[in-house]
């Protein structure tokens, strides 16, 4: 076996060798290195299109890697201290789904927080696994959902000793971390697999003084969005496995849904970004943390806004905080987060990650400049001066405990009828309603619709949240389970 070094990027190196060979392409893709689509080549560049190639012997095959992709997987596993790492080109969505489908089959229970990304509930629809929801904590002043309480999870395990796995969000969109080590140890004591959605935690593996990563505490599987804080191209991610999780079976599960035409642009971006983080990650994320802290301090000087950090820690539902996250509560300015999101984009040409009812999130990375940070702070100060209102005008949203009437799969595939959303209270939803981003469902298939939920949806609409999930693109009607099927 060849001794591999983190200085290597096997996929990139193989692509470079292949390009130098000047092979005549009688295979797909049909643009033939850009010559067959000159407008695309002019837009994306000849170098980019020359690397957009198909699987072949010198470049390996993502579905069954034996050479350069295999080597790149081994290097990624070493970098993340995992048993194995899979290259994912269908986004972290496919990694989350592969985790759940590896751990659970139809009818198996899985314990998870209700504030999961839609990809997790989609996996339940596909697989037929049954959710056991643990309601997350709620920070009453900030209006943000927190991690899972260790006591709540223990209660869920005792009530469902036959559950196969537990899924943990770590960190949340806002940077909140659960007690990952204690939750992992607790689940393992009851012979349950631990699956961690680390979509926003790539940097935990490479930075100093950051929260614990899934692999470092002995979790069994983790989905990692390299394209978020890791620097790779959008839609590229890693799925990590550990302990006794079968590499072969996990790959079979991945191959059920992942494309057989893996993009070498995405694969090489994962390979190059892993190399960069393995060699330079500590320095990179120290700079990111410093930039986030500087911006937090400056925003908090404005007044009205609250850019929060580790002062929130409570030893349980906020066990740790990701200091690279710039999460800001906006309610004391009298504006919903989504309103500030829109103003920043429309009037200041500043695009932040998302705004919800009470908060905004600005994603900070090593690609940001000091001038950009100062521009954001100045814009927020001016928005407060121009637009501030009575803070009581902002909806004081409490977490709505879901009333689960049917499993997601049964509700999604059940005979259904379409009703006006305004008249749907009392029915069981057969589809999602969610704000995107972050993609956490307000309503999921199998949950009973209540007036409280409808009021919240109406408020989100009024404030300009981008609502998705229903067949009706205007979110005026909703599919519900026919009454005789309930």
């Amino acid at each position: 076996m060849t001794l591999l070094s983190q200085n290597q990027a096997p996929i990139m190196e193989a692509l470079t060798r292949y390009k130098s060979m000047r092979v005549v392409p009688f295979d797909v893709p049909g643009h033939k290195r850009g010559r067959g689509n000159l407008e695309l080549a002019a837009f994306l560049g000849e170098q980019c299109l020359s690397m957009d190639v198909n699987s072949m012997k010198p470049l390996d095959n993502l579905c069954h890697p034996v050479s350069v992709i295999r080597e790149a997987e081994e290097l990624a596993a070493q970098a993340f201290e995992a048993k194995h790492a899979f290259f994912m080109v269908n986004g972290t969505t496919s990694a989350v789904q592969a985790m759940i489908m590896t751990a659970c089959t139809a009818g198996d229970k899985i314990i998870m927080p209700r504030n999961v990304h839609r990809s997790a509930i989609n996996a339940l629809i596909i697989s037929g696994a049954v959710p056991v929801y643990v309601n997350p904590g709620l920070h009453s002043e900030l209006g943000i959902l927190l991690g899972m309480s260790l006591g709540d999870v223990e209660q869920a395990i005792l009530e469902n000793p036959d559950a196969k796995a537990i899924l943990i969000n770590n960190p949340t969109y806002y940077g909140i971390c659960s007690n990952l080590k204690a939750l992992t140890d607790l689940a393992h004591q009851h012979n349950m697999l631990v699956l961690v959605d680390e979509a926003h935690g790539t940097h935990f593996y490479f930075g100093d003084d950051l929260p614990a990563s899934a692999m470092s505490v002995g979790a069994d599987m983790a989905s990692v969005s390299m394209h978020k804080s890791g620097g790779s191209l959008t839609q590229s991610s890693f799925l990590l496995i550990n302990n006794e999780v079968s590499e072969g079976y996990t790959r079979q599960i991945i191959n059920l849904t992942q494309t057989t035409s893996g993009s070498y642009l995405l694969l090489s971006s994962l390979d190059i970004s892993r190399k960069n983080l393995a060699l330079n990650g500590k320095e990179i994320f120290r700079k990111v943390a410093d930039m986030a802290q500087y911006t937090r301090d400056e925003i908090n000087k404005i007044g009205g806004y609250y850019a929060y950090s580790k002062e929130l820690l409570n030893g349980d539902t906020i066990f740790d905080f990701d200091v690279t996250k710039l999460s800001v509560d906006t309610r004391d300015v009298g504006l919903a987060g989504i309103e500030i999101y829109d103003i920043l984009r429309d009037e200041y040409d500043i695009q932040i990650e998302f705004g919800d009812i009470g908060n905004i999130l600005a994603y900070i990375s090593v690609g940001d400049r000091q001038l950009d940070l100062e521009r954001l702070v100045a814009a927020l100060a001016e928005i407060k001066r121009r637009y501030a209102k009575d803070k009581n005008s902002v909806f004081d949203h409490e977490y709505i405990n879901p009333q689960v009437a049917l499993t997601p799969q049964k509700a999604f595939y059940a005979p259904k009828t379409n009703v006006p959303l305004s008249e749907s209270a009392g029915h069981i939803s057969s589809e999602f309603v969610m704000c995107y981003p972050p993609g956490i469902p307000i309503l999921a298939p199998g949950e009973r619709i209540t007036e409280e939920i409808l009021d919240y949806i109406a408020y989100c609409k009024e404030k300009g949240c981008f609502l998705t999930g229903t067949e009706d693109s205007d979110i005026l009607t909703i599919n519900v389970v026919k009454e005789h099927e309930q």
Side-chain angles (χ1 to χ4, degrees):
M1 179 178 170
T2 306
L3 186 63
L4 298 172
S5 163
Q6 292 295 330
N7 287 288
Q8 295 174 263
I11 298 174
M12 179 189 74
E13 293 159 12
L15 285 167
T16 303
R17 285 194 301 271
Y18 179 72
K19 185 180 180 184
S20 70
M21 293 168 66
R22 303 179 68 84
V23 172
V24 178
F26 285 104
D27 62 349
V28 296
H31 62 67
K32 300 296 173 82
R33 316 298 187 261
R35 294 192 301 272
N37 192 335
L38 297 179
E39 187 175 12
L40 183 64
F43 183 66
L44 294 180
E46 182 275 334
Q47 171 74 1
C48 176
L49 266 66
S50 72
M51 298 299 180
D52 183 32
V53 294
N54 192 32
S55 295
M56 61 188 77
K57 281 189 177 180
L59 298 180
D60 210 353
N61 188 297
L62 182 60
C63 294
H64 187 81
V66 294
S67 58
V68 294
I69 295 177
R70 180 73 187 184
E71 290 177 358
E73 288 180 341
E74 291 173 5
L75 283 166
Q78 291 173 17
F80 285 87
E81 298 184 335
K83 174 184 170 184
H84 193 75
F86 298 90
F87 279 53
M88 307 297 291
V89 295
N90 285 18
T92 309
T93 287
S94 65
V96 170
Q97 291 172 351
M99 287 197 305
I100 292 173
M101 292 164 65
T102 299
C104 302
T105 58
D108 287 343
K109 293 179 184 177
I110 178 169
I111 296 169
M112 60 172 63
R114 175 54 183 78
N115 60 322
V116 289
H117 188 264
R118 66 177 295 179
S119 59
I121 299 177
N122 283 343
L124 305 179
I125 293 172
I126 296 167
S127 68
V130 178
V132 174
Y133 291 128
V134 173
N135 291 321
L138 179 82
H139 196 287
S140 57
E141 292 177 11
L142 301 178
I144 60 172
L145 297 175
L146 307 176
M148 290 192 290
S149 162
L150 189 62
D152 289 347
V153 172
E154 185 169 26
Q155 185 64 33
I157 288 174
L158 293 174
E159 292 174 0
N160 300 274
D162 54 340
K164 290 294 186 355
I166 174 172
L167 175 69
I168 306 168
N169 291 336
N170 204 72
T172 68
Y173 232 128
Y174 304 100
I176 304 295
C177 296
S178 301
N179 189 343
L180 196 57
K181 178 71 166 68
L183 290 170
T184 298
D185 290 346
L186 176 65
H188 284 168
Q189 289 166 17
H190 293 269
N191 299 311
M192 297 178 187
L193 293 176
V194 177
L195 321 178
V196 185
D197 182 350
E198 284 186 304
H200 298 276
T202 304
H203 44 295
F204 290 1
Y205 290 89
F206 302 99
D208 284 326
D209 302 319
L210 293 176
S213 67
M215 295 296 103
S216 73
V217 301
D220 299 285
M221 306 183 79
S223 53
V224 179
S225 282
M226 275 291 278
H227 69 90
K228 291 188 170 71
S229 60
S232 65
L233 290 178
T234 296
Q235 201 175 311
S236 59
S237 296
F238 284 124
L239 173 61
L240 309 177
I241 62 171
N242 200 8
N243 304 326
E244 302 307 312
V245 177
S246 166
E247 177 193 336
Y249 181 65
T250 304
R251 196 181 300 279
Q252 286 182 324
I253 294 292
I254 291 169
N255 286 341
L256 290 176
T257 56
Q258 180 155 265
T259 178
T260 56
S261 304
S263 166
Y264 278 86
L265 300 178
L266 299 181
L267 294 173
S268 59
S269 81
L270 282 170
D271 199 22
I272 295 165
S273 299
R274 179 271 313 154
K275 173 185 173 183
N276 183 39
L277 294 188
L279 300 179
N280 307 306
K282 281 184 167 44
E283 179 185 356
I284 287 171
F285 294 119
R286 182 170 61 250
K287 288 180 180 177
V288 173
D290 289 346
M291 287 191 290
Q293 187 59 50
Y294 165 81
T295 314
R296 251 193 304 276
D297 291 343
E298 293 301 305
I299 289 172
N300 285 334
K301 289 176 186 175
I302 297 171
Y305 300 104
Y306 175 30
Y308 40 90
S309 186
K310 287 198 171 189
E311 69 278 2
L312 298 180
L313 301 189
N314 63 17
D316 189 19
T317 53
I318 317 175
F319 186 77
D320 209 342
F321 184 82
D322 175 8
V323 294
T324 71
K325 290 284 188 297
L326 184 62
S327 301
V328 185
D329 183 75
T330 66
R331 291 186 299 177
D332 279 357
V333 182
L335 295 170
I338 186 61
E339 292 177 300
I340 290 177
Y341 171 101
D342 287 339
I343 295 168
L344 284 170
R345 185 195 60 231
D346 296 343
E347 300 187 29
Y348 294 89
D349 295 327
I350 294 173
Q351 180 64 59
I352 60 172
E353 177 67 12
F354 84 96
D356 61 14
I357 296 305
N359 296 263
I360 58 173
L361 172 68
Y363 219 92
I364 307 264
S365 84
V366 73
D368 289 311
R369 303 169 298 174
Q370 185 71 21
L371 182 64
D372 300 327
L373 304 176
E374 291 169 359
R375 184 173 166 184
L376 173 62
V377 172
L380 289 173
E382 192 168 311
I383 288 170
K384 178 192 172 187
R385 179 179 60 79
R386 294 173 61 196
Y387 295 105
K389 302 176 187 173
D390 181 348
K391 69 178 182 179
N392 292 326
S393 66
V394 179
F395 191 81
D396 188 15
H397 171 53
E398 294 291 328
Y399 173 69
I400 303 172
N401 292 339
Q403 297 180 24
V404 180
L406 297 173
T407 67
Q409 186 185 65
K410 186 172 181 181
F412 186 82
Y413 289 114
K416 61 195 74 172
T417 187
N418 191 258
V419 301
L421 184 66
S422 59
E423 300 172 16
S424 64
H427 290 279
I428 297 171
S429 178
S430 73
E431 53 189 357
F432 290 97
V433 179
M434 71 199 91
C435 295
Y436 195 88
I440 297 167
I442 300 169
L443 190 63
E447 295 176 0
R448 195 170 297 280
I449 304 167
T450 65
E451 292 290 352
E452 187 180 14
I453 288 170
L454 294 178
D455 288 345
Y456 184 59
I457 292 171
Y459 185 81
C460 291
K461 274 188 172 184
E462 177 192 330
K463 292 300 181 182
C465 291
F466 181 64
L467 289 171
T468 70
T470 57
E471 278 190 45
D472 174 15
S473 60
D474 295 322
I475 326 289
L476 296 174
T477 64
I478 188 169
N479 288 330
V480 297
V481 177
K482 283 189 175 179
E483 289 189 10
H484 67 273
E485 301 292 333
Q486 297 181 19

